[in-house]
Each structure stands twice: as structure tokens, then as C-alpha cells.
């Protein structure tokens, strides 16, 4: 069983640039959630994708956007990067069964984004 | 709305001593509760979870936690600390919900556990 993978591992961008982070969900999972973890803090929920649609969003501006693909992989896009966007970005996948119900989220290793 | 408070940003114990990491939660719906561990420069690994049923849950690496609804707590314990337990620990809550959607995790700020030889 393949776990959650993320790419790239590290990324350095300058203020105002755009970035795309990628996540492959664990085999058999159909839901992807993205979190931002600033240094010394707990992860903060950005948004979740289920059946290729956004299914809930945290307190993040519209310049944070995402996609989920038919194979359940996902992208997180951030436009107009700001210095405060420097953080570890974590992707988590889970399985939502027909009829609902929550399930455990399994995390990838993260992408460390540095904005200069 | 949900929130998590982890009491103590840093806990230090001696090898072989009891580990107790505190977590209190607030939730407007019946909660699902989780403990995750994060080693330096890594993602989060699930230690254990409470959804329904038995309130004492056992996890990996000898950790366990007890859901106490009356105290809105979900403290993490381990009888005997090992050097390899040194890491950051996060308590998280999500809402049990109906419908076809999986719900977000709300995390505490984390507790850094150091284990002294």
C-alpha cells in the first residue's frame, strides 16, 4: 500500500511569485485535505477536496486555490506569494465511504516553502 | 466550532518515567479526537484516535489516551518514556458528521516532548 507522497520536498520562491504543490493520495483514498504549518505552530486547515470539488475551506484568502484530479491526486496553488506564506504545507488523504462518515486522515511528509 | 488546547508547550521527562501530555477540546458536535506525532522535518504520524465506543484507546508505541466527556479532555499517556519518543505531539479534533463529507482537523499548538537519559 502506497502512502501519501508530496512534491517537491523543498521550494524557495520570491515575494509575488506563484507556486504549485502536488500531492498523491494513499491508495484507496478519495479525499484530500491541505494544511499549512507555520514554524512552531500546529497545522491550520486550508481546504479539502472530495470528488474533485472543494468541500470546506479554512480562513485562507482566495489566492490559495486547489484542484483534485480523477485519480484523487491534488494540487495546491498559491498566487502572489507573501513572506508569511513561508511554512510547511501538509497534504492528508482519507477515505469517505458512500453514505458519509469521517475517517482518519493520513499525512504526507510535507513541502517546505520559503518565500524571500 | 471546534478548538483544542494543549497545556504545556514543552514537557521534559527522564527515560523510563511516565509521559503525560494534556489536551482539552471544545466541540459543538460529538467529537472525534486524534493524537499525531511529528519528528523533526517530517509529516504527521497517527498515534491513536477516538471515534465512538471504548473511551480508553490504545495506539502505537505503547501510547494510550482516555476520552473524558465530562472533562472535555483527551490526555495522552505512556507508562515508560523511551529516548525515541522525543518529538512534537499534536492533539486534534474533528466533528462527527452526517452526509458524504469528511471533516477538517483542528489542531492544538503542539507539545514538544524531550526525554533525558
Amino acid at each position: 500500500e502506497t502512502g501519501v507522497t508530496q512534491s517537491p520536498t523543498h521550494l524557495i520562491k520570491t515575494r509575488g511569485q506563484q507556486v504549485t504543490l502536488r500531492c498523491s493520495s494513499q491508495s484507496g483514498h478519495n479525499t484530500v485535505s491541505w494544511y499549512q504549518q507555520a514554524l512552531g505552530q500546529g497545522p491550520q486547515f486550508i481546504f479539502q477536496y472530495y470528488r474533485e470539488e472543494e468541500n470546506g475551506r479554512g480562513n485562507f484568502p482566495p489566492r490559495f486555490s486547489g484542484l483534485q484530479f480523477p485519480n484523487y491526486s491534488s494540487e495546491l496553488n498559491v498566487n502572489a506569494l507573501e513572506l508569511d506564506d513561508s511554512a510547511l504545507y501538509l497534504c492528508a488523504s482519507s477515505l469517505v465511504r458512500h453514505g458519509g462518515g469521517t475517517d482518519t486522515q493520513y499525512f504526507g511528509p510535507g513541502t517546505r516553502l520559503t518565500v524571500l | 466550532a471546534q478548538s483544542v488546547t494543549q497545556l504545556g508547550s514543552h514537557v521534559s521527562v527522564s527515560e523510563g518515567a511516565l509521559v503525560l501530555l494534556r489536551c482539552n477540546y471544545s466541540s459543538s458536535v460529538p467529537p472525534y479526537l486524534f493524537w499525531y506525532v511529528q519528528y523533526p522535518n517530517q509529516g504527521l504520524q497517527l498515534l491513536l484516535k477516538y471515534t465512538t465506543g471504548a473511551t480508553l484507546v490504545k495506539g502505537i508505541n505503547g501510547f494510550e489516551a482516555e476520552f473524558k466527556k465530562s472533562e472535555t479532555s483527551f490526555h495522552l499517556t505512556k507508562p515508560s518514556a523511551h529516548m525515541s519518543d522525543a518529538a512534537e505531539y499534536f492533539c486534534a479534533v474533528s466533528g462527527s458528521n452526517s452526509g458524504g463529507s469528511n471533516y477538517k482537523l483542528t489542531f492544538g499548538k503542539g507539545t514538544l516532548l524531550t526525554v533525558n537519559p
Side-chain angles (χ1 to χ4, degrees):
Chain A
E1 186 177 82
T2 307
V4 179
T5 60
Q6 293 185 242
S7 63
T9 306
H10 295 86
L11 204 51
I12 299 175
K13 292 286 188 178
T14 56
R15 197 170 48 181
Q17 286 188 311
Q18 178 266 342
V19 68
T20 298
L21 310 182
R22 296 178 175 83
C23 171
S24 292
S25 59
Q26 183 169 315
S27 176
H29 287 181
N30 58 12
T31 301
V32 173
S33 303
W34 286 92
Y35 294 82
Q36 180 195 66
Q37 185 179 18
L39 200 61
Q41 300 295 316
Q44 298 289 317
F45 175 73
I46 303 175
F47 43 55
Q48 182 182 89
Y49 277 84
Y50 172 63
R51 293 184 174 177
E52 301 179 50
E53 292 189 358
E54 187 178 290
N55 178 48
R57 186 178 185 93
N59 188 27
F60 282 83
R63 60 189 185 85
F64 285 78
S65 63
L67 286 171
Q68 187 181 30
F69 300 100
N71 67 354
Y72 306 117
S73 66
S74 177
E75 288 183 352
L76 164 65
N77 299 289
V78 187
N79 294 321
L81 284 167
E82 300 177 359
L83 297 179
D84 285 348
D85 295 334
S86 294
L88 180 68
Y89 288 85
L90 295 163
C91 164
S93 75
S94 55
L95 173 64
V96 174
R97 297 176 178 82
H98 181 69
T102 62
D103 203 347
T104 303
Q105 294 184 27
Y106 294 91
F107 285 79
T111 293
R112 174 75 62 187
L113 173 64
T114 302
V115 182
L116 303 176
Chain B
Q2 296 163 323
S3 66
V4 171
T5 302
Q6 291 186 239
L7 298 175
S9 59
H10 187 194
V11 170
S12 181
V13 300
S14 299
E15 191 173 19
L18 172 71
V19 175
L20 171 60
L21 305 182
R22 299 179 187 275
C23 171
N24 288 90
Y25 71 91
S26 172
S27 178
S28 57
V29 298
Y32 288 172
L33 294 157
F34 306 81
W35 276 99
Y36 286 87
V37 60
Q38 186 175 38
Y39 297 98
N41 300 313
Q42 294 189 24
L44 302 176
Q45 179 182 7
L46 179 70
L47 276 178
L48 49 79
K49 64 180 180 180
Y50 168 79
T51 54
T52 58
T55 56
L56 180 64
V57 293
K58 296 184 183 298
I60 62 172
N61 301 337
F63 285 93
E64 63 182 37
E66 186 172 10
F67 169 60
K68 293 187 176 181
K69 184 178 179 180
S70 61
E71 299 178 8
T72 61
S73 69
F74 191 58
H75 302 329
L76 181 70
T77 61
K78 182 175 180 177
S80 177
H82 192 271
M83 297 294 290
S84 61
D85 295 327
E88 185 128 32
Y89 291 79
F90 292 94
C91 180
V93 62
S94 72
S96 57
N97 65 306
S98 60
S101 61
N102 200 342
Y103 209 63
K104 70 175 183 177
L105 289 168
T106 299
F107 286 87
K109 293 187 176 182
T111 297
L112 180 65
L113 176 67
T114 58
V115 183
N116 305 307

